[in-house]
Amino acid sequence: MNKYDSSKIIAYLLKYFNNFIITKNILKSDFIILNTCSVRQKAQNKLLYFFDKIKKVKIINPNLIVAVGGCIAVQEKEKLFLKFNLIDIIFGTHNIKKLPFLIKNFQKNKNKIIYVKFTNKINKNINSINYYNSIISKSFVSIMEGCNKFCSYCIVPFLRGKEISRTPEDIINEIYNIVNMGIVEINLLGQNVNAYSSFFNNGKKCNFSNLLYLISEIDNVKRIRFTTSHPSNFNNDLITAYKNISKIVDFLHLPVQSGSDRILKIMKRNYTINDYKKIIDNLLNIRPNMIFGSDFIVGFPTENKDDFNLTLKLIYDIKFDSSYSFIYSPRPGTKSFYMKDNISIFEKKNRLYKLQKLLYDNSVYWNNILLNSIQEIIVEGISKRNNFYYGRSRNNKIIYFKSGRNLLGKLLNIKVNLIKNNCLYGKLI
Ligand code: SAH
Ligand code: SF4
């Protein structure tokens, strides 16, 4: 979501300032925008490290302007000015569209500016290019933002606001625009995409599965993915969509967080492991080749060895291929912040290591299953490391191959014929 927002920031600035150039060389910049994350303390600490660098730029260029947006801006508001006196502008997660005007104001008056307000509108990506994706074949499309779930550990609902969904017409228009630019794979984006709920211009309701059917009818859309869905909103209509819409890929990232019902209850996740497994089983009945990924938190307050072993068992049973897995990070203001953080950091690290090791073994397992099979891939880029092309299979595996032709963005069949360093290689068919 932050990467997507960064691309929106750039798009708005390019639209309003015609002499604006993006540079990766921080020492040469006149203007630095930090789009921050505070989902875990580690993400938040990055701001500290970065300000050390910015101090050096300010010495070279005393006219440097520094703006801070994203979740830390919403969380800390004017307190950030006190912590980092180099900041000139603070803007909220809902206020990206305002940024060019804030900059103009600052340039005129030279007074520090703060603009952090929740609106009920999503800032769509005005020219629909993901600047952070040098990849030309796929693109995020934001369909909803915010979260109403308030899991006990999570700061997101406080900083991203209530769930708001874009209208289906708005989304479909954006997709038509980007497929005309050569995009073939759409990744629908939102904190909980399957909580999507909107209305057509004629007043009729549109839910997430309705939206999937509509998008699938666009000829040049070859694949549909989504990030992230929530188990408690994974209804039967959505499962049926997997039967009817072959453009939905054979991979699902469905965050579970823990394998223990006791922990899930304290996390306020609103499902049991049985509910979760039912979703997976129903999907596998329709798509036996499907592979799954998930998010895990280890060391949640009161998590004991039995709870943790249940998480390992789930990972083993479902054979998750990939994960975002983290040590629990207490977030001020959330419910669980007030629970005693009773597990030692040594134990937490140990659990994370075991969990990630098992996930690695699962990815080895899947690589071996795919060896000698034929996979349909969309070519995403050329690896800087070995000059091989790479693309993603329908079940989200990256496969490398060699070719003398320009194949970027193409949908191709590859015969997987080698596993090296746990990476898949293949031959173009
Ligand atoms: N809405 C999605 C996830 C969005 S947040 C869902 O609920 O499934 C992305 C991930 O960050 C979460 O799935 C969780 O694993 C992790 N996360 C959020 N808050 C955290 C915290 N306080 N400590 C550790 N990990 C956290
Ligand atoms: Fe955070 Fe839970 Fe909302 Fe996901 S569903 S963003 S984990 S509060």
Side-chain angles (χ1 to χ4, degrees):
M1 188 59 92
N2 273 45
K3 284 190 176 181
Y4 185 79
D5 282 352
S6 295
S7 70
K8 280 192 285 193
I9 291 173
I10 295 171
Y12 277 109
L13 294 181
L14 285 174
K15 186 173 168 192
Y16 287 95
F17 298 101
N18 48 22
N19 55 353
F20 191 88
I21 297 166
I22 303 157
T23 173
K24 285 193 175 155
N25 184 346
I26 167 172
L27 291 173
K28 285 196 172 160
S29 51
D30 304 304
F31 185 43
I32 295 173
I33 309 159
L34 294 159
N35 188 18
T36 59
C37 171
S38 66
V39 73
R40 279 162 289 121
Q41 188 60 40
K42 206 170 169 185
Q44 198 165 325
N45 292 346
K46 285 188 182 163
L47 192 64
L48 290 172
Y49 306 141
F50 212 77
F51 265 95
D52 277 344
K53 284 191 187 174
I54 293 180
K55 275 184 207 149
K56 291 182 192 131
V57 188
K58 188 80 180 178
I59 294 168
I60 302 171
N61 177 5
N63 291 325
L64 176 76
I65 302 176
V66 178
V68 176
C71 286
I72 301 181
V74 182
Q75 183 179 280
E76 304 282 316
K77 302 196 181 66
E78 52 282 328
K79 277 188 268 169
L80 271 183
F81 284 137
L82 300 176
K83 285 188 187 158
F84 306 103
N85 64 2
L86 285 180
I87 301 177
D88 302 302
I89 300 167
I90 295 173
F91 63 102
T93 46
H94 282 206
N95 314 122
I96 290 172
K97 201 175 172 179
K98 269 265 175 307
L99 184 61
F101 304 101
L102 304 180
I103 295 171
K104 275 189 187 156
N105 265 345
F106 181 81
Q107 286 176 323
K108 221 166 50 200
N109 308 322
K110 295 279 180 267
N111 291 332
K112 286 185 190 282
I113 299 178
I114 174 158
Y115 195 95
V116 176
K117 284 189 185 138
F118 282 139
T119 64
N120 58 359
K121 279 209 183 105
I122 292 187
N123 296 317
K124 60 185 164 181
N125 197 357
I126 46 168
N127 66 358
S128 308
I129 294 174
N130 292 174
Y131 284 91
Y132 274 75
N133 257 340
S134 50
I135 297 159
I136 49 154
S137 57
K138 59 182 190 178
S139 175
F140 284 124
V141 172
S142 170
I143 62 164
M144 59 85 68
E145 245 184 71
C147 178
N148 297 348
K149 295 218 164 22
F150 290 90
C151 300
S152 62
Y153 51 83
C154 183
I155 196 78
V156 170
F158 300 93
L159 307 180
R160 288 268 174 190
K162 286 213 175 84
E163 282 169 6
I164 38 175
S165 296
R166 279 172 77 187
T167 65
E169 286 90 349
D170 209 10
I171 296 167
I172 298 293
N173 269 343
E174 176 168 344
I175 296 180
Y176 268 113
N177 281 340
I178 57 180
V179 294
N180 282 339
M181 292 157 71
I183 297 292
V184 285
E185 182 173 307
I186 303 295
N187 196 338
L188 303 173
L189 187 67
Q191 259 83 32
N192 291 307
V193 284
N194 50 344
Y196 174 85
S197 172
S198 185
F199 293 92
F200 290 95
N201 291 341
N202 65 11
K204 249 182 83 185
K205 253 197 114 150
C206 181
N207 64 20
F208 185 56
S209 20
N210 301 143
L211 187 67
L212 288 173
Y213 284 97
L214 278 175
I215 296 171
S216 71
E217 283 162 18
I218 302 175
D219 263 354
N220 289 334
V221 171
K222 303 289 180 218
R223 279 185 184 172
I224 306 171
R225 296 178 185 274
F226 45 84
T227 314
T228 313
S229 54
H230 191 285
S232 76
N233 295 108
F234 222 100
N235 58 24
N236 287 338
D237 283 350
L238 182 50
I239 289 168
T240 311
Y242 277 83
K243 195 185 286 175
N244 297 330
I245 308 175
S246 61
K247 288 180 182 181
I248 305 176
V249 292
D250 297 330
F251 172 81
L252 174 66
H253 183 90
L254 189 62
V256 66
Q257 314 299 353
S258 165
S260 152
D261 283 342
R262 191 183 72 81
I263 295 292
L264 288 177
K265 199 158 180 196
I266 317 175
M267 287 179 162
K268 289 186 65 206
R269 288 292 291 179
N270 217 13
Y271 53 81
T272 62
I273 289 303
N274 230 351
D275 301 332
Y276 188 90
K277 280 185 164 166
K278 254 188 219 145
I279 300 170
I280 305 284
D281 285 348
N282 288 338
L283 287 169
L284 283 174
N285 275 338
I286 297 169
R287 303 259 188 111
N289 293 332
M290 232 169 132
I291 300 185
F292 299 90
S294 198
D295 289 358
F296 300 94
I297 296 177
V298 300
F300 188 78
T302 78
E303 182 189 71
N304 57 35
K305 291 228 158 84
D306 292 342
D307 296 315
F308 178 65
N309 283 335
L310 286 169
T311 305
L312 292 182
K313 183 172 177 337
L314 187 76
I315 295 173
Y316 183 81
D317 289 347
I318 299 198
K319 292 271 179 293
F320 292 107
D321 177 56
S322 56
S323 85
Y324 294 108
S325 38
F326 311 107
I327 286 176
Y328 166 69
S329 171
R331 304 280 69 210
T334 59
K335 268 226 157 92
S336 64
F337 183 74
Y338 302 97
M339 291 177 76
K340 193 158 179 263
D341 191 6
N342 64 335
I343 304 158
S344 73
I345 187 67
F346 176 80
E347 179 61 24
K348 284 175 184 163
K349 282 189 174 163
N350 196 14
R351 286 182 196 175
L352 186 66
Y353 174 80
K354 274 191 185 153
L355 182 144
Q356 290 181 338
K357 167 83 177 64
L358 185 56
L359 278 149
Y360 180 83
D361 293 346
N362 284 353
S363 78
V364 172
Y365 166 88
W366 283 115
N367 282 349
N368 279 307
I369 297 251
L370 295 196
L371 187 63
N372 296 323
S373 71
I374 293 172
Q375 296 294 318
E376 179 201 274
I377 63 159
I378 290 180
V379 185
E380 289 188 1
I382 299 172
S383 160
K384 283 192 191 120
R385 200 163 32 97
N386 57 12
N387 244 351
F388 275 58
Y389 276 103
Y390 64 88
R392 235 168 250 270
S393 69
R394 279 179 61 86
N395 43 29
N396 212 36
K397 285 295 216 177
I398 292 177
I399 303 171
Y400 295 89
F401 68 101
K402 264 237 169 308
S403 172
R405 284 181 290 151
N406 179 4
L407 296 173
L408 286 175
K410 295 269 186 300
L411 194 80
L412 306 167
N413 282 322
I414 294 277
K415 167 102 190 254
V416 182
N417 58 11
L418 176 72
I419 305 172
K420 208 167 99 186
N421 302 328
N422 206 25
C423 292
L424 295 175
Y425 290 80
K427 217 174 153 46
L428 194 60
I429 297 186

